[in-house]
Amino acid sequence: MEIAVGTSSASMEHLLAKLEGLLSQEHALIQHVRGDIQYISDQLAAVRAFLHGHRAAAESSARRRRRDDDEQMKLWVKLTRDLAYNVEDCVDGIRLWLNRVPEPRDGDHGLLSSLRRAWYAISTVYVRRDIAAKISTLKLRVHHLEAPTPTPWCDGASPESYTTAGDILSGRSYTTAGPSASFMGMVGTEQAMGELGPWLTISGVRDSRKILAIVGCRGLGKRTLAAGLRCAAGEEFDCRVSVVASRKLRVEAFLRSLLKQIMPRVAYNDLQIGGMDGWEVRRLKEKVEEQLLDRRYVVVIDDVCSVPSCELILNSLPENQKDSRIVVTTRFHAVAEAIGRLEHGHVYKLNPLSVHDSYLLLLRRTFGSNYQCSSVIDRRTSKILDKCGGVPLALVALAGLLGCKLKSDPNWIRVCDSVNSELEKEHLPDEVTAKIIYLCYEDLPADLKTCMLYLSTFPVGLNISKKRVIRRWISEGFIAEKHGKTAEQVADDCFDQLFKRSMISAVDIGTNGEVKTFQVHEMILEYILRKSNEEGFITVIDEDCPGLMPRSKIRWLSVHGSTNSMRAKEFMKTVSLLHVRSLTSSRTMKQLSSFKILQVLDLEGCEDLTADQLVKICKMYLLKYLSLRRTYMKGLPSVIGRLKYLEILDIRETNVQRLPTSVKCLQRMTHLLCGDKSRHLSLTFTVEIAEMLELQTLSGIEIDTASAEAFAAIHKLTKLKKLSIYNLKVQPQNISRSFEHLLFAILTLTACSLTSLAIDDGFTGFLNELVTLSTFPSYLRALELSGGLNKVPEWIVHLHFLEKLSLSLTSLRTDSLVLISKLPVLFSLTFSVNSARQRPGVLSIHLENVLNSVGEIFVPPNGFSNLHTLRLLAVGLPLQLISFLEGAMPALQRLEVRCRMFEGIYGLETLQNLSQVHLEVSKQASEVAKEKVRQTRSSVSNHPNRPAVIFDEYFE
């Protein structure tokens, strides 16, 4: 068994880089200490090389070391990790001190320079001698750190050859296939959906709501079944939502989560800004009742753990005499029995999968959803199925493990024998699913183990952003550049590996086909929480998990509840927070002054962040990652420029519209994330932002051409990879010159490194100027143009690398589609219009398009060879009749339509690969429009592929 945390290659690289940076500080150290630091650095580099060689040998061989050798190596790695932690703490302490002490000025000469240097030497002598003593102690520890001598490998593998998986199962060769968006798939749930369909759709007594309890052990797919029921509830219901109940139910959090889904986004945001976080339970209940009183709703409550919690939840939802439905999932029979005793309560016991369905799920998740399974189950596969016991979570996790093993060894029988022997070892947990999770985790490489354990930072049921996690991995030093790939690319590969191994499950797939948000299943999260606690990694303050307590110094801290709770207060009093380098809190965080060497601070969604706390944050000089997203602050302190190591600043969905001038000191900033699309808020671009020359991502900005200096400086950001402009403010008197400057800046940036560009011109006419470009941004991979766009630019056919394209709905015409169809790698295409930003000219452009197309738009038969997703979002404008000609969009799998005025879609049966259709109609839509949407839905149901159809209504 291997200790992952703190010994990964990237972690060692991170520490060595810090040591190298410290050695470059000529004025900071007493001379003989410089040699000690160099010695420590050299020794740790040797340790890194040894660990890398040891892992490479272990991972490339099927052989196993003797158990006593494993224990010896485990102990040595643990000692190495603790020493690396102490070295890093010392280095960070020195860096913190250097940031506070003014350095001698190299440019000074003569007497003044001598006096300054003498004063610096005298005033810092005690501190430097203390540093010297600490470094000498660490040097001694490093000197005595000896790598264990490995004994020869014992060959336990049989040399005989085996039949491949393809020979045994269906004669096909093995191909890698990642899991689908659903964590467990819908295999085996057809029967349950058929039995529960009448309960959901057939109306009984109109003045009563019905309550269903789905009960079963963990991992059976209760959440998947409940999600299927929620999707099956069609237009008969006005409102469909899903909420996760915490183990120790917090009614306020439950009601806020409910309100966020049942209220219009703008109204909910207004309540947040107005201080809804301070509302009492009574007031929140009243707001929920106000929203649901006149609506027939379906509410899914996942993972209810006790009868009192169930009663609190049911009492929070109004009895509105609309024949509503409530679905509760639970693993506790007492909760199900309590619901069964209610007048309109119903209980459904979810059973394990049959042998046939287990076989089908295992092979399709291993080899791909289109895999044709043999009807005969071989002996070894049958043995694996017996061990899984029909539990979908166990089958999916095991499929991920089998898929990874088959990459290096395509022998199905040999791999099955290996997994079966592993499952039979005595030291494994008793529960079958826990055994499989254990094996899946142990099969991860060391770097992936660290990344996986880091996910214990987040609470159960949270939808986690992929980009958020990737950026945090990098900021923590767990991921570094490797094999010519950037840190972002390496982190993306690590994420994909965890996804393919089914250690995480997708919640939302983006239009580019990549995971946007994901979850960690409760059982997997419980395992990595325990494992993290054993290794002294993430320390979690959570009233739901009182047994998880740190054994030593705290370096990674996550607060799942409130720091005002009794448990949190007692915890804060009894432990030292001086060594914390990473802090996550999503509710409240009162004690911010104790964290001196903090490098990652994630307060996304924090409820009560104050101006004083923001000033304290600006004294955390070593911060690299700072997220204040959804905190609804109004501004940042003027002293934020002190955070000279800051690389990532996330202030999205806040009220910050301008940054202090001191941000020009943030010379290491790589990602500046700001603005709020839903409320049309953006951050004003200033000359100080243009001084952040390392910026790679700049999103959510507003460009005001009246600020000539800032406007002219935008082209200096030559390292930008992603630029999102939410708004343009152009002065009428110099509109032509302003457009010329902006076009020049865009061409300059795209010629350097820009690959993603989004512009909302606010209907100023800039997009139509963009159409006239004589040159074009050749290397763009993503392009979004919102506003008044009369037609698609001719130069778009030269964007041979473009994968994602989003255009204003005003450019949706047949000739536009002919042009776009020539893009060879286009994966996602969106046409949309934002009614809230609509200008009077937009309707005239749309009417002109209708006249030119005679009211109907034809999708051409040739082209769109790689298009996977098509989205038509007509919010506030009529969506014309769309006709797919024979052979159009041959690769299209996903179609999304969101509209109020709808004329219909013809030719869906010609889309050979169509698998998903999402239809959303405005609640304000006319009955004629809704009827045409129903007709479209009916035509989809007759499609030969029988694609999944999701129908919903939305607030405008």
Side-chain angles (χ1 to χ4, degrees):
M1 185 185 298
E2 178 180 40
I3 292 182
V5 183
T7 61
S8 67
S9 300
S11 298
M12 281 294 185
E13 290 283 359
H14 186 62
L15 175 54
L16 292 171
K18 285 186 178 182
L19 287 167
E20 184 179 345
L22 187 59
L23 286 170
S24 68
Q25 301 285 338
E26 292 292 337
H27 65 280
L29 304 170
I30 301 173
Q31 191 60 39
H32 76 270
V33 174
R34 186 173 304 280
D36 290 348
I37 293 178
Q38 187 64 61
Y39 177 82
I40 293 172
S41 180
D42 293 344
Q43 289 297 99
L44 290 178
V47 168
R48 176 196 59 185
F50 173 80
L51 288 169
H52 179 74
H54 170 74
R55 288 193 187 114
E59 290 170 6
S60 63
S61 175
R63 303 162 183 172
R64 292 291 180 267
R65 299 175 64 91
R66 292 189 317 212
R67 189 169 182 81
D68 56 346
D69 290 333
D70 284 337
E71 292 300 320
Q72 184 185 12
M73 177 58 69
K74 178 180 176 181
L75 177 60
W76 182 81
V77 169
K78 184 175 181 179
L79 292 172
T80 303
R81 180 196 65 181
D82 293 341
L83 177 57
Y85 283 167
N86 290 332
V87 171
E88 187 166 9
D89 286 346
C90 182
V91 172
D92 287 337
I94 296 171
R95 292 166 67 220
L96 181 65
W97 172 72
L98 290 176
N99 203 78
R100 293 173 173 172
V101 178
E103 304 176 11
R105 300 177 187 176
D106 295 332
D108 289 345
H109 300 285
L111 180 61
L112 181 60
S113 175
S114 299
L115 289 173
R116 279 199 175 120
R117 291 183 181 276
W119 171 250
Y120 177 84
I122 294 169
S123 62
T124 61
V125 64
Y126 292 110
V127 177
R128 288 186 293 129
R129 288 193 182 279
D130 181 56
I131 291 171
K134 291 178 180 177
I135 291 175
S136 296
T137 303
L138 290 172
K139 177 188 175 183
L140 189 63
R141 287 184 61 187
V142 170
H143 179 71
H144 290 293
L145 187 69
E146 271 189 42
T149 304
T151 56
W153 295 94
C154 300
D155 191 351
S158 173
E160 60 187 303
S161 61
Y162 294 95
T163 316
T164 64
D167 295 332
I168 287 292
L169 297 173
S170 64
R172 291 174 31 161
S173 59
Y174 169 71
T175 55
T176 304
S180 64
S182 170
F183 190 80
M184 265 144 348
M186 294 301 288
V187 175
T189 61
E190 295 88 350
Q191 180 181 349
M193 289 290 291
E195 292 176 10
L196 293 174
W199 173 88
L200 181 71
T201 56
I202 296 176
S203 298
V205 183
R206 291 294 297 181
D207 61 353
S208 61
R209 65 184 184 187
K210 294 180 180 178
I211 304 169
L212 169 69
I214 302 175
V215 62
C217 68
R218 294 193 298 179
L220 275 184
K222 300 184 295 296
R223 181 179 300 176
T224 303
L225 176 57
L229 289 172
R230 177 175 172 265
C231 291
E235 57 186 302
E236 297 92 353
F237 293 88
D238 304 314
C239 179
R240 298 178 296 167
V241 296
S242 180
V243 187
V244 177
S246 58
R247 293 184 186 176
K248 187 174 181 179
L249 182 69
R250 302 180 184 94
V251 182
E252 300 95 328
F254 169 79
L255 294 173
R256 289 192 193 102
S257 178
L258 192 62
L259 284 170
K260 187 173 184 178
Q261 297 180 66
I262 63 179
M263 289 182 67
R265 182 66 185 271
V266 175
Y268 179 81
N269 285 332
D270 290 341
L271 284 182
Q272 285 284 84
I273 298 168
M276 187 184 72
D277 290 331
W279 284 11
E280 296 177 351
V281 174
R282 179 185 55 79
R283 193 173 178 188
L284 289 167
K285 283 185 177 180
E286 290 173 355
K287 194 66 180 178
V288 168
E289 185 170 356
E290 174 190 316
Q291 293 293 320
L292 294 180
L293 197 59
D294 295 324
R295 298 159 73 181
R296 189 183 183 211
Y297 60 80
V298 173
V299 176
V300 174
I301 303 112
D302 187 48
D303 198 22
V304 178
C305 295
S306 68
V307 174
S309 295
C310 185
E311 291 173 350
L312 283 172
I313 290 169
L314 297 180
N315 291 334
S316 301
L317 300 172
E319 267 278 20
N320 57 3
Q321 299 182 350
K322 294 286 184 178
D323 196 27
S324 297
R325 300 287 189 273
I326 299 174
V327 181
V328 173
T329 71
T330 181
R331 61 180 185 271
F332 297 98
H333 288 278
V335 175
E337 290 168 2
I339 291 175
R341 288 193 294 268
L342 298 175
E343 184 179 354
H344 298 288
H346 182 67
V347 177
Y348 185 85
K349 183 180 179 181
L350 191 60
N351 295 312
L353 298 181
S354 66
V355 174
H356 176 267
D357 286 339
S358 297
Y359 180 61
L360 191 66
L361 179 59
L362 178 71
L363 295 189
R364 287 190 175 176
R365 293 305 296 266
T366 303
F367 298 101
S369 58
N370 295 322
Y371 192 83
Q372 299 300 316
C373 303
S374 168
S375 58
V376 179
I377 305 176
D378 67 275
R379 179 174 58 85
R380 290 171 176 84
T381 307
S382 178
K383 194 174 180 181
I384 284 181
L385 295 177
D386 289 342
K387 287 185 170 67
C388 291
V391 178
L393 175 61
L395 290 160
V396 169
L398 194 59
L401 180 63
L402 289 170
C404 289
K405 287 184 176 295
L406 286 167
K407 286 183 181 179
S408 56
D409 183 358
N411 270 280
W412 174 258
I413 294 178
R414 186 160 56 205
V415 168
C416 287
D417 285 341
S418 170
V419 170
N420 275 317
S421 64
E422 289 289 331
L423 286 171
E424 289 169 358
K425 289 186 176 179
E426 294 180 359
H427 65 276
L428 295 183
D430 293 331
E431 188 179 353
V432 61
T433 308
K435 284 183 181 181
I436 293 169
I437 292 172
Y438 170 89
L439 288 182
C440 291
Y441 172 80
E442 289 301 322
D443 191 64
L444 296 174
D447 289 357
L448 276 182
K449 284 181 179 176
T450 303
C451 292
M452 187 66 206
L453 290 185
Y454 192 72
L455 299 182
S456 61
T457 301
F458 304 101
V460 175
L462 180 69
N463 292 344
I464 311 166
S465 164
K466 173 186 173 180
K467 288 186 177 180
R468 179 186 183 187
V469 165
I470 281 178
R471 287 169 180 153
R472 286 185 53 168
W473 282 344
I474 296 170
S475 297
E476 297 280 11
F478 301 148
I479 301 290
E481 297 178 1
K482 185 165 60 176
H483 304 315
K485 291 184 176 182
T486 65
E488 287 81 4
Q489 290 171 328
V490 175
D492 201 62
D493 290 343
C494 288
F495 183 91
D496 289 343
Q497 279 296 311
L498 292 178
F499 181 55
K500 288 176 181 177
R501 289 170 177 263
S502 298
M503 299 298 284
I504 57 179
S505 58
V507 173
D508 186 18
I509 302 292
T511 54
N512 58 357
E514 295 184 357
V515 178
K516 288 182 66 176
T517 59
F518 68 97
Q519 282 189 0
V520 184
H521 192 276
E522 181 186 8
M523 288 191 71
I524 297 177
L525 187 58
E526 282 186 5
Y527 176 81
I528 63 174
L529 268 171
R530 288 196 303 271
K531 194 71 179 174
S532 181
N533 192 53
E534 289 172 10
E535 296 197 4
F537 189 22
I538 307 292
T539 299
V540 175
I541 304 178
D542 189 353
E543 294 176 4
D544 293 341
C545 303
L548 296 178
M549 293 297 292
R551 295 182 179 180
S552 58
K553 297 175 182 176
I554 300 174
R555 290 183 168 86
W556 292 271
L557 178 62
S558 179
V559 184
H560 289 181
S562 169
T563 52
N564 294 326
S565 68
M566 185 64 68
R567 172 173 163 77
K569 288 179 179 178
E570 290 177 0
F571 176 85
M572 295 292 190
K573 289 178 182 178
T574 56
V575 299
S576 171
L577 302 177
L578 296 177
H579 300 278
V580 175
R581 64 183 61 164
S582 174
L583 171 64
T584 305
S585 179
S586 58
R587 292 188 63 200
T588 61
M589 196 67 221
K590 295 294 186 182
Q591 301 182 20
L592 282 172
S593 57
S594 303
F595 307 102
K596 303 298 182 184
I597 61 171
L598 206 64
Q599 295 171 49
V600 172
L601 179 59
D602 192 337
L603 300 178
E604 181 173 326
C606 217
E607 298 170 356
D608 55 2
L609 202 61
T610 64
D612 290 340
Q613 288 176 312
L614 290 177
V615 173
K616 290 178 181 177
I617 289 172
C618 293
K619 293 179 181 179
M620 299 173 185
Y621 303 114
L622 302 182
L623 272 182
K624 293 175 63 179
Y625 178 103
L626 175 60
S627 176
L628 303 170
R629 185 175 184 177
R630 289 193 291 108
T631 56
Y632 294 98
M633 69 176 72
K634 295 181 179 179
L636 294 176
S638 59
V639 291
I640 193 172
R642 294 175 181 173
L643 304 177
K644 66 178 184 180
Y645 293 102
L646 194 62
E647 296 176 1
I648 299 173
L649 176 61
D650 189 347
I651 51 174
R652 288 172 293 183
E653 298 179 62
T654 67
N655 294 318
V656 178
Q657 298 185 56
R658 195 174 187 90
L659 294 180
T661 56
S662 65
V663 296
K664 64 184 179 183
C665 301
L666 306 179
Q667 290 299 302
R668 301 193 184 202
M669 185 76 74
T670 55
H671 301 283
L672 179 57
L673 313 168
C674 39
D676 187 345
K677 274 190 175 182
S678 65
R679 294 186 292 145
H680 315 296
L681 292 180
S682 48
L683 182 79
T684 302
F685 182 81
T686 61
V687 68
E688 288 81 18
I689 296 176
E691 295 297 319
M692 301 178 185
L693 300 181
E694 296 297 317
L695 272 181
Q696 296 178 22
T697 303
L698 178 58
S699 67
I701 64 167
E702 174 183 284
I703 295 181
D704 187 350
T705 58
S707 177
E709 189 179 4
F711 186 59
I714 192 172
H715 70 277
K716 294 165 62 177
L717 302 175
T718 55
K719 293 186 178 181
L720 266 186
K721 296 179 180 179
K722 180 177 181 178
L723 174 63
S724 298
I725 301 173
Y726 281 8
N727 192 28
L728 287 179
K729 284 187 177 179
V730 182
Q731 307 304 312
Q733 61 271 24
N734 60 353
I735 189 169
S736 178
R737 187 175 179 182
S738 297
F739 285 168
E740 288 178 7
H741 282 303
L742 188 53
L743 288 172
F744 170 76
I746 290 172
L747 288 175
T748 302
L749 295 176
T750 53
C752 296
S753 56
L754 196 70
T755 58
S756 177
L757 174 64
I759 302 176
D760 187 337
D761 73 347
F763 298 95
T764 58
F766 173 72
L767 294 186
N768 292 320
E769 291 293 321
L770 195 66
V771 169
T772 63
L773 279 177
S774 56
T775 55
F776 40 85
S778 308
Y779 298 103
L780 283 179
R781 295 184 180 275
L783 176 63
E784 180 177 342
L785 304 177
S786 303
L789 184 63
N790 288 4
K791 62 178 183 177
V792 173
E794 297 281 345
W795 47 258
I796 205 167
V797 297
H798 299 290
L799 306 187
H800 299 303
F801 301 97
L802 197 66
E803 300 170 355
K804 182 179 178 181
L805 178 62
S806 181
L807 298 171
S808 173
L809 188 67
T810 55
S811 63
L812 178 56
R813 305 180 345 186
T814 300
D815 56 348
S816 299
L817 290 171
V818 171
L819 266 181
I820 299 169
S821 68
K822 300 175 183 178
L823 296 174
V825 297
L826 188 65
F827 187 89
S828 167
L829 175 61
T830 300
F831 287 95
S832 66
V833 65
N834 192 334
S835 60
R837 301 289 301 281
Q838 210 170 162
R839 299 294 188 274
V842 119
L843 190 57
S844 62
I845 296 173
H846 178 73
L847 291 174
E848 182 182 347
N849 288 343
V850 172
L851 292 174
N852 289 337
S853 59
V854 199
E856 186 171 5
I857 296 170
F858 295 95
V859 182
N862 298 314
F864 292 114
S865 58
N866 198 50
L867 192 70
H868 177 278
T869 301
L870 174 64
R871 303 169 73 224
L872 305 171
L873 312 179
V875 182
L877 282 181
L879 182 60
Q880 298 181 61
L881 182 64
I882 309 289
S883 292
F884 291 91
L885 301 180
E886 186 71 33
M889 297 186 177
L892 191 71
Q893 295 182 29
R894 181 184 177 105
L895 174 65
E896 295 182 31
V897 177
R898 184 182 177 97
C899 61
R900 184 205 289 186
M901 293 166 276
F902 183 66
E903 295 297 326
I905 298 179
Y906 294 158
L908 288 176
E909 67 280 357
T910 67
L911 303 175
Q912 301 174 1
N913 288 294
L914 191 66
S915 60
Q916 296 179 47
V917 177
H918 295 245
L919 299 173
E920 289 186 89
V921 63
S922 169
K923 289 185 177 296
Q924 288 77 35
S926 66
E927 282 303 317
V928 174
K930 289 183 179 180
E931 179 57 32
K932 289 183 178 179
V933 171
R934 293 187 195 103
Q935 293 173 2
T936 301
R937 184 182 178 187
S938 177
S939 67
V940 173
S941 64
N942 295 326
H943 192 283
N945 291 351
R946 299 188 66 82
V949 182
I950 297 176
F951 177 82
D952 210 346
E953 295 185 348
Y954 69 93
F955 283 107
E956 290 192 13

